[in-house]
Amino acid sequence: MEIGRRPEFINTRKHSEMRKNNKRQQKDKEGQAELFPVSPEVHGTDGIGSVHGRKAELVSRLKSQRTLTGQLMEEIADYRNLTEAYEQVKRNDGSAGVDGMGVEALQSWLVSHIETLRSSLLNGTWEVTAVKKVEIPKPNGGVRLLGIPTVKDRLVQQAIHQVLERHYDPHFSRSSYGFRPGRSAHDALRQSAQYVKEGREWVVDIDLEKFFDKINHDRLMQRLSKGIGDKRVLRLINAYLKAGLMSEGIVEQRTSGTPQGGPLSPLLSNIVLDELDRELEARGHKFCRYADDCNIYVKSEAAGERVLASVTRFIEEKLKLKVNREKSGARHCGKVKFLGYTLLPGGDLRVADKSVERLKEKIREKTKRTRGVKFAIVIKELNQIVTGWSNYFRMSNKWLSTFREIDSWMRRKVRCYRLKQCGRKYTVYKTLRELGLSEKKSWNVALYSQGWWAMSNKQATCEAMNLQWFARNGLRSIYTELTRLKC
């Protein structure tokens, strides 16, 4: 013991340090409670399987993960990881960012600058470039904001995504399907159909207003810091979140949101909404979430209204996100659109009305009579639409007769386009004669039709440009493709 120091002073100092430690621990607990809240609607006791038990398990796992990720940047900057990231960026293709460099130029840049890239990532000097601001119209009105990073930043984001995904994805909810390996929209639809088949025909349809634009940066970074121990990675992610949006040479700074367009945004959105998933699981709800599209399945309208009100409170008060009350609601399954489909009582699926309208709009775009594109190219473009659309909507098992009607309408659009290409009445006459139509019928079509659209639906025109003619030109049928994919 040091001479002149009183024992009671030592005890007082120890007590003071203990009080400081207790306050620090209490502050940590409050921070965890804020990030991993237990809703007042949910009650449970501590123990295995309880709400508090699950929360403690989550906090423990994130602490363990934080310890294991102290050198995460070394994994991100690994040669193999960067090579895989390049291959993925190359597959995704996409337009150039603000620097004008395209994907085709990325390989030569990477070969020349791989060591510089690695060292700048490892020592924390990689400079994030502003993203190109792009606004695209939404089908139901409004615009969707895209932020297109440079291909170099897309490479780095993809490298971060690949490493973080290995740590986070295995612990995401089974009811989360969007932007996850081995999971798809079809998986979400199968599970939704099963819930409806079990009698949960009322759907709490939650629409998050401009979700990707409203993500709170501070809250997301706070949550990431609980599970990532490498501060270099946290600083880099924060830099990507705050990267400016460039439009017409002017950079607009951002304080919230993660615009769609970068490889990192989908994973970050799942990390944000994992809190919602855990809350819904803690309450015992049956739900399916695909990105920001979340449906909860209940057995009555009254239950749906209660769930809608309480979940809306949680999203807005705890997650600091905004629920679009006009688009959200508790509705019967037949009135809800989920991932382009509508669920019917009994678990059947049909293509949603809006999806059919969007298909027709695409066909209209390709068959505009003023396009001036070769007929063979129009057929090729339509076939691409038919194939992609049929592959996605192959799960529909009701109202398939609708697609016979769409096929008929599409064939008429194609006939109209081909006739317009003829230009003059005599050329129309010659074309129909070449297709085997009699001289009299050919002249009747060419001379007495009131416009190209009326001409395309005349009986004689349909006789000349029949199903065999479409088959020879290679036009595919939506109905045939759908039924073939079901076999």
Side-chain angles (χ1 to χ4, degrees):
M1 183 183 299
E2 195 173 335
I3 296 173
R5 176 169 289 181
R6 293 166 52 196
E8 57 269 26
F9 174 77
I10 296 173
N11 291 336
T12 304
R13 185 175 179 181
K14 283 182 179 179
H15 286 310
S16 176
E17 288 176 356
M18 288 174 65
R19 282 196 298 272
K20 286 180 181 178
N21 287 334
N22 289 337
K23 286 181 180 179
R24 196 178 299 117
Q25 290 173 4
Q26 181 62 30
K27 190 174 181 181
D28 287 343
K29 286 180 180 179
E30 289 171 359
Q32 290 169 359
E34 172 63 23
L35 278 173
F36 314 111
V38 177
S39 170
E41 285 94 345
V42 182
H43 301 281
T45 56
D46 289 332
I48 298 173
S50 72
V51 172
H52 294 287
R54 284 193 294 270
K55 187 180 97 172
E57 182 185 354
L58 172 62
V59 172
S60 174
R61 176 181 66 75
L62 287 173
K63 280 184 179 178
S64 175
Q65 179 178 302
R66 193 173 188 278
T67 304
L68 294 171
T69 55
Q71 300 296 314
L72 198 64
M73 190 60 86
E74 276 68 19
E75 293 181 49
I76 292 168
D78 180 74
Y79 288 106
R80 181 178 295 178
N81 187 54
L82 288 174
T83 301
E84 290 176 5
Y86 163 74
E87 294 295 339
Q88 187 59 49
V89 170
K90 184 180 175 182
R91 281 192 294 272
N92 291 342
D93 199 10
S95 59
V98 296
D99 63 354
M101 180 188 283
V103 175
E104 66 283 349
L106 182 60
Q107 184 178 16
S108 58
W109 179 87
L110 191 58
V111 170
S112 304
H113 296 83
I114 182 69
E115 293 303 332
T116 307
L117 171 62
R118 293 187 72 249
S119 65
S120 65
L121 289 173
L122 292 170
N123 61 32
T125 58
W126 174 257
E127 292 187 8
V128 172
T129 309
V131 298
K132 183 195 288 185
K133 182 179 179 179
V134 179
E135 293 181 341
I136 58 173
K138 290 183 178 181
N140 54 354
V143 294
R144 177 177 285 110
L145 177 64
L146 296 184
I148 309 300
T150 64
V151 289
K152 291 182 281 189
D153 277 325
R154 293 212 290 271
L155 172 71
V156 174
Q157 284 195 35
Q158 181 62 36
I160 298 171
H161 177 110
Q162 289 167 180
V163 172
L164 289 188
E165 188 174 66
R166 292 198 289 269
H167 290 280
Y168 279 95
D169 189 81
H171 305 288
F172 285 152
S173 169
R174 291 181 181 179
S175 298
S176 166
Y177 295 89
F179 309 127
R180 297 186 61 189
R183 287 172 164 257
S184 68
H186 287 168
D187 295 325
L189 288 161
R190 286 188 195 95
Q191 185 58 71
S192 299
Q194 182 59 39
Y195 288 146
V196 173
K197 195 178 292 185
E198 292 169 1
R200 301 175 186 274
E201 294 186 359
W202 286 89
V203 183
V204 180
D205 184 15
I206 297 174
D207 184 270
L208 298 178
E209 188 176 290
K210 295 184 178 180
F211 167 68
F212 284 92
D213 303 338
K214 296 277 181 81
I215 290 175
N216 185 290
H217 288 175
D218 292 338
R219 201 168 195 285
L220 172 57
M221 290 309 304
Q222 195 179 8
R223 187 168 181 82
L224 287 172
S225 68
K226 297 294 179 182
I228 298 175
D230 195 327
K231 291 184 178 179
R232 295 169 297 177
V233 176
L234 292 171
R235 282 195 293 269
L236 186 53
I237 293 173
N238 191 45
Y240 277 122
L241 286 173
K242 296 187 184 305
L245 284 168
M246 181 178 283
S247 177
E248 298 178 353
I250 300 172
V251 177
E252 171 190 335
Q253 295 302 318
R254 290 187 293 123
T255 56
S256 65
T258 168
Q260 300 173 72
L264 200 51
S265 294
L267 178 61
L268 294 180
S269 70
N270 273 335
I271 291 172
V272 169
L273 291 176
D274 185 54
E275 286 189 72
L276 174 61
D277 297 341
R278 291 184 181 281
E279 176 72 10
L280 296 178
E281 287 177 341
R283 297 185 186 191
H285 291 313
K286 306 295 183 183
F287 70 98
C288 289
R289 182 179 65 78
Y290 193 96
D292 58 334
D293 201 349
C294 183
N295 280 356
I296 307 167
Y297 298 87
V298 296
K299 292 187 174 181
S300 70
E301 184 177 9
E305 294 292 349
R306 286 196 303 272
V307 170
L308 177 63
S310 62
V311 172
T312 296
R313 279 198 304 274
F314 174 81
I315 290 171
E316 295 188 338
E317 293 174 10
K318 296 293 185 181
L319 302 189
K320 309 302 180 186
L321 296 170
K322 180 72 174 173
V323 173
N324 188 327
R325 284 171 167 74
E326 289 183 8
K327 294 183 180 179
S328 302
R331 307 179 181 99
H332 193 260
C333 59
K335 296 181 180 178
V336 176
K337 180 177 75 70
F338 183 50
L339 301 176
Y341 285 79
T342 292
L343 279 159
L344 300 174
D348 289 320
L349 289 162
R350 73 171 180 89
V351 180
D353 295 337
K354 287 185 179 179
S355 300
V356 173
E357 281 304 311
R358 283 200 286 272
L359 169 65
K360 294 178 80 170
E361 190 55 44
K362 287 181 179 179
I363 294 171
R364 285 190 190 98
E365 189 67 29
K366 298 301 180 185
T367 55
K368 275 184 180 176
R369 284 166 266 169
T370 55
R371 280 191 75 198
V373 176
K374 288 183 179 179
F375 186 66
I377 294 176
V378 172
I379 295 294
K380 182 181 177 181
E381 291 175 344
L382 287 174
N383 283 342
Q384 289 172 345
I385 292 172
V386 168
T387 300
W389 200 88
S390 301
N391 272 319
Y392 183 76
F393 287 103
R394 66 181 183 271
M395 292 183 66
S396 57
N397 53 15
K398 291 292 180 182
W399 296 22
L400 294 183
S401 59
T402 303
F403 304 110
R404 290 185 185 275
E405 297 168 11
I406 294 176
D407 276 335
S408 177
W409 173 79
M410 179 171 65
R411 287 193 292 268
R412 184 178 176 185
K413 295 287 289 182
V414 171
R415 282 196 298 268
C416 187
Y417 187 90
R418 181 67 188 91
L419 291 168
K420 176 68 169 62
Q421 281 188 319
C422 295
R424 296 184 302 159
K425 292 181 178 181
Y426 180 69
T427 313
V428 172
Y429 162 78
K430 277 183 62 178
T431 300
L432 294 175
R433 288 289 288 144
E434 287 169 3
L435 294 175
L437 204 62
S438 70
E439 183 176 351
K440 182 180 178 181
K441 287 182 177 179
S442 298
W443 276 121
N444 279 337
V445 170
L447 294 174
Y448 302 112
S449 297
Q450 310 233 331
W452 302 108
W453 185 241
M455 187 185 294
S456 67
N457 203 39
K458 280 190 169 286
Q459 186 175 346
T461 308
C462 296
E463 183 184 328
M465 298 176 171
N466 54 22
L467 292 175
Q468 288 74 28
W469 179 77
F470 283 106
R472 286 196 302 272
N473 282 283
L475 182 66
R476 293 175 183 167
S477 156
I478 298 171
Y479 180 82
T480 302
E481 287 290 303
L482 281 174
T483 51
R484 179 183 65 82
L485 290 166
K486 287 180 171 301
C487 296

